[in-house]
Amino acid sequence: QKNAAANGKPVMIGFNRRFDPNFAALKSALDAGEVGKPEMLAITSYDPAPPSIAYIKVSGGLFRDMMIHDFDMANFIMGEAPVTVSAVDTAAVTLTYADGKIATIRNTRRAGYGDQRVEIQGSEGMLQVGNLVENLMVKSTAAGVTSAKPVLFFLERYMPAYAAEWNA
């Protein structure tokens, strides 16, 4: 078998979340030292509904077909691979890095509202990227405060990321 280097061809593994404009802004601010040295990272990825049984049978499971994107996001934001990983199904993972940084990733396929957030705590502050919502209107009444729900499905949520990834 020939590999990419032997053929003089570049290889890119497509983890589109690196190209999400909001997550990219968080990474740029972190790299610029705007919140000091990173210490704790929290990634939340909650799908609004389980995939089909046919997909589950061939997907490799939650860690392989869903959380793999969060593993990449953690390593992208932290700038290195972890030295330890521990996991609990349905699903919480803790990653520790050589210099003491910690990342936690939480996933579920049963959050009917969908949820895609990243938060990084640094020695001098915090950076957060919240959910993209269908619109920015917030209604405040005596009954409570409501807003639009998050953009539901990953194809719509990450369309700008897919475009940026393709351009890269």
Side-chain angles (χ1 to χ4, degrees), residues 39-130:
E39 295 173 348
M40 290 191 300
L41 171 66
I43 298 174
T44 301
S45 294
Y46 293 169
D47 278 358
S52 69
I53 295 297
Y55 177 76
I56 290 172
K57 287 180 178 180
V58 298
S59 74
L62 181 77
F63 294 104
R64 191 172 186 185
D65 74 27
M66 181 178 173
M67 196 178 284
I68 191 168
H69 295 281
D70 300 309
F71 289 142
D72 180 69
M73 180 58 58
N75 294 342
F76 172 64
I77 291 171
M78 294 299 211
E80 62 180 320
V83 293
T84 64
V85 177
S86 60
V88 177
D89 199 359
T90 308
V93 170
T94 302
L95 311 172
T96 58
Y97 294 83
D99 62 357
K101 295 179 293 205
I102 298 170
T104 58
I105 299 171
R106 301 176 305 152
N107 283 180
T108 185
R109 286 191 163 125
R110 293 175 283 123
Y113 51 90
D115 197 349
Q116 300 286 312
R117 295 177 282 135
V118 172
E119 176 181 291
I120 180 80
Q121 178 70 37
S123 60
E124 299 172 24
M126 181 170 58
L127 300 168
Q128 296 172 291
V129 172

